[in-house]
Amino acid sequence: MHFDLASGVGLHVIPTQQFKMTHVLITFTTPQTRDNATARNLLANLLETSTHRYPTQTALARQLANLYGAYVGMGVGRVGRLHTVRLRASFVNDQIAGTNLFDQVVDLINEILFHPLIDDNEFDGPTFRIQAHNLEQTITALYDDKQFYANRQLMNLYYPDDSIMRVPSFGQVADLAKLTAQNLVKVYQDMIEHDRVDIFVLGDVDPTTVKEALGQLPFIPRQVGTMRPFYQQALYPTVQRQVEHQPVVQAKLNLGYQLPVYYQDDNYYAGLVFNGLFGGTPYSKLFTNVREKASLAYYATSRLLPFTGFLGIQTGIQAGDAKRVEDLIAQQLKDLCAGKFSAGQLAEVQDSLVNQYRASHDLANNILGRELLRALLNLPPETAVTEKINAVTAADVSRVAKMVKMQAIYLLSGEK
């Protein structure tokens, strides 16, 4: 059920008795730029840490404990070209709690979003410095994971220098030096006053009561325009290649392809099944032929990003096997183009995707994530998903496979 709380502020209520908890997701959405991701991530960390009423993490944690152990946290994400700051809350529903817990949690959300620890037009100095340091440490630690590092290096190779897609949603350490307790206030004001806002409530709730409670949040009307999440990139004339040497035991060979299949377009479900056959499931050619039969990879997986037209492969290998692995991966794609897979393999992958889809309904965050996409793209409710997956034919898979274009190859090697 949808309500407009103000221009650019939508409330989406999903009544269900499936969960004992009530779940709230509030998203602030704006186009990502090369500069805003780090600032918005730091802002999210500050907002979830302290408020005027609860000026320390300890005070905020104590209040959450008073609310029957409720959870309220903030983070960032991305949908293609769009950057989101997300507040998530989960708490025991009022029927089990035996009290009006919903209103109390909304009051805390109001405090976190609209009463941050800002005085004299700047965030609290010590809190700002601690959170900036913590964010620097968090981002640095991510890159210590060589699998993560190799994937980011592939993205840097795949996307042009001026592309916003080079900047991850969580930001970059280099940008932290530009941020201060003063200029982050402008980032906060822009988000609160200008971002598109979507509020989702999932649980055993009454929509009218939810509307009345959340309608008290002091959002002002804003003009948000049309959200354009999809990213499209021109093909490179030649494949971009990079080899990097570090003292690693296990080499990482990552490949990036362009696959112009986008979320809910005419080829979307064929793209899902193709990816499942290529490397996205345990029944895939990469898993069966590269990892198991040839024993050339510790892992070999593929992933389709349906907002950017990107298909990525990640493998962990022995550096000396890089050429053999690359050639064998190319052969798997060629076989899919030629329809060299059995009806049984196709059915196994379809069954796996259907089971994943059904299992995702058991997790509230997955449901809320789909509802967010539906709201941002202004799509009707999702219907007949299993039927659409099962309707994909071998010819559909081959047709999509022929759309795949190699664009980038990155090797992190321990050998010179």
Side-chain angles (χ1 to χ4, degrees):
M1 190 171 296
H2 175 81
F3 304 96
D4 289 317
L5 299 184
S7 175
V9 182
L11 170 62
H12 317 267
V13 185
I14 310 149
T16 177
Q17 294 184 343
Q18 180 181 357
F19 304 103
K20 295 180 180 179
M21 308 283 283
T22 300
H23 300 269
V24 176
L25 170 64
I26 301 178
T27 62
F28 297 84
T29 305
T30 194
Q32 179 164 327
T33 69
R34 293 187 63 83
D35 302 319
N36 65 359
T38 312
R40 287 163 65 87
N41 194 7
L42 179 56
L43 173 62
N45 292 346
L46 281 167
L47 293 179
E48 75 169 3
T49 299
S50 56
T51 74
H52 266 284
R53 194 190 306 170
Y54 309 106
T56 66
Q57 282 184 293
T58 300
L60 200 52
R62 187 177 295 118
Q63 176 60 12
L64 289 169
N66 292 337
L67 299 176
Y68 295 80
Y71 166 81
V72 180
M74 296 191 68
V76 296
R78 184 161 65 190
V79 180
R81 301 171 61 92
L82 305 177
H83 194 272
T84 61
V85 173
R86 308 181 184 194
L87 180 148
R88 295 183 183 275
S90 57
F91 48 96
V92 177
N93 69 44
D94 286 359
Q95 289 77 12
I96 294 176
T99 184
N100 193 351
L101 196 56
F102 190 94
D103 282 352
Q104 296 176 63
V105 173
V106 170
D107 179 66
L108 180 58
I109 290 172
N110 179 56
E111 180 71 14
I112 289 171
L113 292 180
F114 295 98
H115 302 279
L117 198 56
I118 297 174
D119 289 302
D120 298 324
N121 206 37
E122 65 177 271
F123 279 95
D124 177 69
T127 305
F128 175 88
R129 289 188 289 273
I130 289 170
Q131 292 306 315
H133 174 74
N134 289 347
L135 182 56
E136 178 180 2
Q137 296 296 106
T138 298
I139 295 175
T140 301
L142 287 174
Y143 287 90
D144 290 338
D145 180 331
K146 296 306 178 183
Q147 186 173 351
F148 178 90
Y149 174 84
N151 185 56
R152 287 309 315 170
Q153 292 298 92
L154 175 69
M155 294 298 189
N156 289 340
L157 191 61
Y158 179 87
Y159 293 114
D161 290 345
D162 60 351
S163 172
I164 60 165
M165 303 308 298
R166 273 186 164 228
V167 182
S169 64
F170 54 79
Q172 306 174 114
V173 168
D175 291 338
L176 285 170
K178 309 171 191 174
L179 300 175
T180 67
Q182 293 82 22
N183 64 26
L184 201 64
V185 173
K186 176 65 163 56
V187 177
Y188 165 72
Q189 291 170 339
D190 282 346
M191 183 190 82
I192 285 291
E193 296 175 7
H194 301 299
D195 275 21
R196 168 175 172 154
V197 178
D198 288 282
I199 306 172
F200 303 86
V201 179
L202 173 72
D204 189 4
V205 295
D206 173 63
T208 302
T209 303
V210 168
K211 179 188 176 185
E212 290 175 357
L214 289 167
Q216 302 303 309
L217 296 177
F219 286 110
I220 61 173
R222 71 274 325 271
Q223 298 297 319
V224 296
T226 302
M227 290 289 164
R228 303 184 186 280
F230 296 111
Y231 175 89
Q232 296 174 323
Q233 181 170 300
L235 287 167
Y236 291 115
T238 58
V239 175
Q240 310 297 293
R241 288 181 176 268
Q242 181 183 354
V243 178
E244 185 176 354
H245 298 279
Q246 290 188 16
V248 293
V249 175
Q250 184 186 111
K252 313 295 181 185
L253 176 67
N254 288 8
L255 295 81
Y257 306 81
Q258 185 187 88
L259 177 55
V261 168
Y262 292 91
Y263 185 74
Q264 297 297 343
D265 72 4
D266 291 341
N267 290 315
Y268 177 64
Y269 290 99
L272 292 182
V273 177
F274 157 76
N275 182 60
L277 274 166
F278 193 24
T281 68
Y283 309 101
S284 68
K285 285 185 170 290
L286 294 185
F287 187 91
T288 302
N289 296 331
V290 180
R291 182 181 184 274
E292 296 293 302
K293 290 183 179 178
S295 298
L296 285 175
Y298 303 102
Y299 60 87
T301 62
S302 68
R303 183 185 181 197
L304 173 63
L305 302 183
F307 288 93
T308 60
F310 174 83
L311 175 71
I313 289 179
Q314 296 187 45
T315 70
I317 64 171
Q318 291 295 319
D321 293 330
K323 184 62 169 65
R324 293 176 62 198
V325 173
E326 185 182 326
D327 290 344
L328 190 54
I329 290 172
Q331 185 60 52
Q332 308 315 302
L333 180 58
K334 186 182 295 185
D335 287 348
L336 287 171
C337 290
K340 292 183 179 179
F341 51 91
S342 69
Q345 290 171 318
L346 176 61
E348 282 181 326
V349 167
Q350 288 170 315
D351 288 345
S352 176
L353 293 174
V354 167
N355 289 336
Q356 288 176 28
Y357 173 73
R358 288 173 174 164
S360 71
H361 286 81
D362 294 332
L363 297 174
N365 283 343
N366 288 346
I367 297 172
L368 293 172
R370 283 196 296 269
E371 288 298 315
L372 171 60
L373 296 183
R374 189 169 73 82
L376 290 177
L377 298 172
N378 194 29
L379 293 173
E382 209 172 40
T383 58
V385 171
T386 59
E387 290 83 353
K388 291 172 183 174
I389 292 172
N390 288 325
V392 174
T393 65
D396 293 330
V397 172
S398 295
R399 175 172 49 80
V400 168
K402 293 171 184 175
M403 298 165 61
V404 174
K405 305 295 182 185
M406 170 66 75
Q407 291 289 277
I409 300 174
Y410 171 81
L411 174 63
L412 176 61
S413 175
E415 298 180 0
K416 290 188 178 180

